[in-house]
Each structure stands twice: as C-alpha cells, then as structure tokens.
Amino acid sequence: MSLTRLQFVLLVAAAINVGLTAAFFAIVVAGADGLLINAYSPLGGDFINMFAAARMVLGGHAGQVYIPDAFMAFEHTIIDAYIGLRLWAYPPHSLLMVWPLGFMNYGVALAAWSAIGLVVLGYGARRFGFSAIETAMLVCSPAAMQSVYYGQTGNMAAGLMLAALAASTARPAGNAISAAILTIKPQTGFLLPVLWLVERRWLLIGATSALVAALLVATLAVFGPGVFAAYIGDTLPALGTLERQGHGAFMLMIPTVFMSARILGASGAAALGLHAVFALAIGALLVVRLLHERDGSRRAGLVLAATCVMTPYLHVYDLGLATAGAALLMRRHAGSGAAVRVAAGVVAALVWLLPILTYFLNQFGVPVAPVILVALFLAL
C-alpha cells in the first residue's frame, strides 16, 4: 500500500472514528443518570475536575483546589455519588486559564471545552505546516476523539506543542506564547528547551522564560503562595502515590514503559526506575540525532516521538503527539522504495491506532505499546 493510499484509508477511518465516537457519546448521554454515566464515571470523564476547579476559583476557594479532600468534597456537590479519586494535577498557573468555564452550566462548558481543544489542535497542525488532509487525520484521530470523550487536555496540549515547534521564524511570538501556555502540562513540552538549545534559539528561550515567569508572578499575585505550597505538598504526593500504587482502569490507558512494567508485576518504585533508565537512553540518543539532523521538520518529529517514549505519565488521549509524528513519518518516506514505504506505513498506521490498541494490549497482559512508540522514534 502506498503512503498516498494509506493516507486515504486513514482519512476514511478518521471519518468512521468520529461517527462512532459521536454515536457512542449520544448513547452514553441518553443513558446517563444526571451527570453520572455509569459507576464512578461522570459525563465527560475527567472534565469534572476542570469544571470543579473553575467553579472553586470563581467562588473564591482557589486555595482549596490543591487539597485533595477539599477538592473531592466540592466535586461531590456537583455529582452526589462516588466518582473515584480525582485531583487537579495541573500547576497553579492553570487556574488563570480555567476559570471562564465556571460561568457556564456543565453541559455547555463541556461542549465549549471540547470545541476549543479541537480548534487549538487544528490551529497548531496548520501553523506547524501540515496540509488540510494531514490536519483532518489528526483532528479526527482516535487520540483526538479519546481526548474529547474523556474531557481531557490532550488536544490542546498537542496543538500548543505543534504551534511551539512551528518553524515560523518570522513570527516567533506564537512559538513562545504556545510554549508558555503548554507549561500547564509540563510532561508534554519538556523537550522543547532541549531542541531550542540545539538550534540556538536564544530569543525564543528568553521570551518563553519571561512569559512563564509572568504567569507565575500573576498567579502568586491573584491566588497567593498557598496554592503553590498545596500543589507541591499535597497534590503532587497524592498524584505520585496514585500512579505508583493505584490500580484500576486508568492502567489500561497508559502506553509507557513505566506502566507496562507495573502491569507485568513490577512494583511502582521498580517500574519507575526501569523507566528512568529507558528514558535516559532515549534522551541521549535524541540529543545525538538532533545534533546531526539538519532538517527542521524531522527534528520536530523526533521531539514529538521522544516525548511520548520518555514521559512516564502519558495517556491514550495524549497520543496526538505521536499521531503528528506518524504524519511526519509518512511525509519523510513518500519517495522511498516500496519496502521502506510499506514498513513506514505499518508503523504509522499502528501509531494512529495506538490509542485503541493500548487498551487491548494492556488488558490482555501484553503491554507492548512502548515498542510501537520506539519504532516511530527510530523510523523518523
């Protein structure tokens, strides 16, 4: 199958994916008991966290957002049922951005957030330089639809990452602004400084640093130091304990070496140690490849893929980064020989499907999703 045909197949699959997601969501909404769609699961999944944080900020309770018991107690005023352990895991300057959602009712806010995520993803893809077809494959991909279904930040993060990676030297302000906002999800953009150091983009590094500093100062001025203390002292330890020791459906959604090791029986500490060794090796290889690579688009693809294989806390709804990398892989090998095109096409198709495959691979005790991500990194 040529890459042109593969793009056509994936585009058709994307349309089917959107249709199935919409149908499934409609069924879920029709069967919901208020805002509860089934045991432990609110409508929009994790969006309940965003909505609760927004309402708490507007109500003058920002200081309690990062105290897990207080945060959960407030969520129970929205949904009076057990919905599992939920935290607001984003850094304090995220509170500057989330509060407008609190002016809306839950359903309207969820719809607005879903639309914003897809728009940012599409904008980032186009600013990066993807064609309309490539952008459609990304916006309608399983990763994007998973992010919508779970009310998550994956689409916005991927869009901001692509905008930050854009090679537009004429308008670097867009790169800096995107990267600064992306710091609310640091596990997505943590390799941007490495890339910019290799490329010696000092102005971009300085501008982004200044914007991040301004965000932190504004957060301190508006909400006070208590939110920082609670985030570091209460939320981060609780989040770390959940990831290292927690069990449940969330384990099926994580395609990392860390979670693969946990699924295979390793302790949280051992799994994290194994992942650290793996991430350091990939990071070293990334730096070597970036130093020897002169093509900006390929460098960006390497960063996208390396981000997915190096971070331990990646979920299926964050795999828009890998999907973008798969699109770059297809571009790169469009003119290669038949065997190379087929191999690249297989890797690209597996990556595009990975948000769906990860559930089954992890559920049946074959957590090899990291192998697919590493294959993408090596093939780019």
Side-chain angles (χ1 to χ4, degrees):
M1 178 183 293
S2 71
L3 288 179
T4 300
R5 290 177 181 174
L6 178 61
Q7 284 185 332
F8 175 76
V9 170
L10 290 180
L11 197 58
V12 172
I16 295 172
N17 179 57
V18 171
L20 291 175
T21 301
F24 182 71
F25 196 78
I27 293 171
V28 164
V29 171
D33 179 12
L35 295 179
L36 200 66
I37 59 175
N38 56 49
Y40 317 146
S41 299
L43 177 66
D46 294 329
F47 181 75
I48 182 66
N49 298 337
M50 188 166 297
F51 188 74
R55 283 287 176 93
M56 291 178 78
V57 169
L58 288 180
H61 305 296
Q64 295 183 313
V65 168
Y66 293 107
I67 300 175
D69 288 344
F71 187 67
M72 284 297 305
F74 187 86
E75 289 197 333
H76 287 150
T77 67
I78 302 171
I79 300 179
D80 187 18
Y82 179 72
I83 53 175
L85 174 62
R86 296 180 181 273
L87 305 167
W88 182 245
Y90 302 98
H93 57 294
S94 64
L95 299 179
L96 294 173
M97 308 171 196
V98 72
W99 59 268
L101 294 171
F103 286 112
M104 311 172 197
N105 68 40
Y106 189 92
V108 173
L110 174 59
W113 174 247
S114 301
I116 290 169
L118 292 173
V119 168
V120 172
L121 178 58
Y123 163 78
R126 294 295 280 169
R127 188 175 195 275
F128 179 82
F130 281 129
S131 68
I133 290 177
E134 290 169 326
T135 299
M137 290 168 53
L138 182 58
V139 171
C140 300
S141 68
M145 293 300 103
Q146 291 279 344
S147 186
V148 170
Y149 180 76
Y150 286 107
Q152 263 290 343
T153 56
N155 287 337
M156 178 170 283
L160 291 170
M161 183 68 165
L162 289 172
L165 286 169
S168 174
T169 55
R171 293 181 297 167
N175 300 60
I177 293 170
S178 299
I181 297 173
L182 188 58
T183 57
I184 66 171
K185 195 163 184 173
Q187 68 268 38
T188 297
F190 71 97
L191 288 176
L192 282 173
V194 176
L195 174 65
W196 290 344
L197 283 170
V198 169
E199 295 180 339
R200 300 182 181 181
R201 302 187 72 176
W202 311 120
L203 178 60
L204 193 50
I205 292 173
T208 302
S209 299
L211 287 171
V212 173
L215 285 173
L216 295 177
V217 169
T219 304
L220 184 63
V222 174
F223 301 117
V227 293
F228 291 92
Y231 173 66
I232 295 170
D234 294 283
T235 292
L236 287 183
L239 182 62
T241 299
L242 175 65
E243 294 289 349
R244 292 192 306 271
Q245 301 176 15
H247 291 273
F250 79 96
M251 297 177 69
L252 306 180
M253 302 169 64
I254 302 180
T256 66
V257 168
F258 164 69
M259 191 53 68
S260 295
R262 281 206 59 202
I263 289 171
L264 293 175
S267 68
L272 200 57
L274 178 64
H275 186 99
V277 172
F278 170 79
L280 287 172
I282 293 295
L285 181 57
L286 171 68
V287 171
V288 171
R289 295 187 70 183
L290 289 177
L291 288 171
H292 287 84
E293 181 56 55
R294 292 293 175 262
D295 181 79
S297 179
R298 191 176 176 194
R299 276 179 170 171
L302 290 171
V303 168
L304 289 168
T307 299
C308 293
V309 296
M310 288 180 67
T311 179
Y313 304 129
L314 182 83
H315 292 74
V316 291
Y317 43 72
D318 297 315
L319 286 172
L321 302 172
T323 306
L328 291 173
L329 177 65
M330 289 191 286
R331 266 192 189 187
R332 184 190 171 206
H333 293 295
S336 301
V340 174
R341 289 201 313 272
V342 169
V346 169
V347 172
L350 287 174
V351 169
W352 195 85
L353 290 168
L354 193 57
I356 298 171
L357 294 176
T358 298
Y359 286 104
F360 296 100
L361 292 170
N362 288 358
Q363 186 170 18
F364 290 104
V366 191
V368 296
V371 175
I372 298 174
L373 293 172
V374 170
L376 173 65
F377 175 71
L378 297 176
L380 278 163

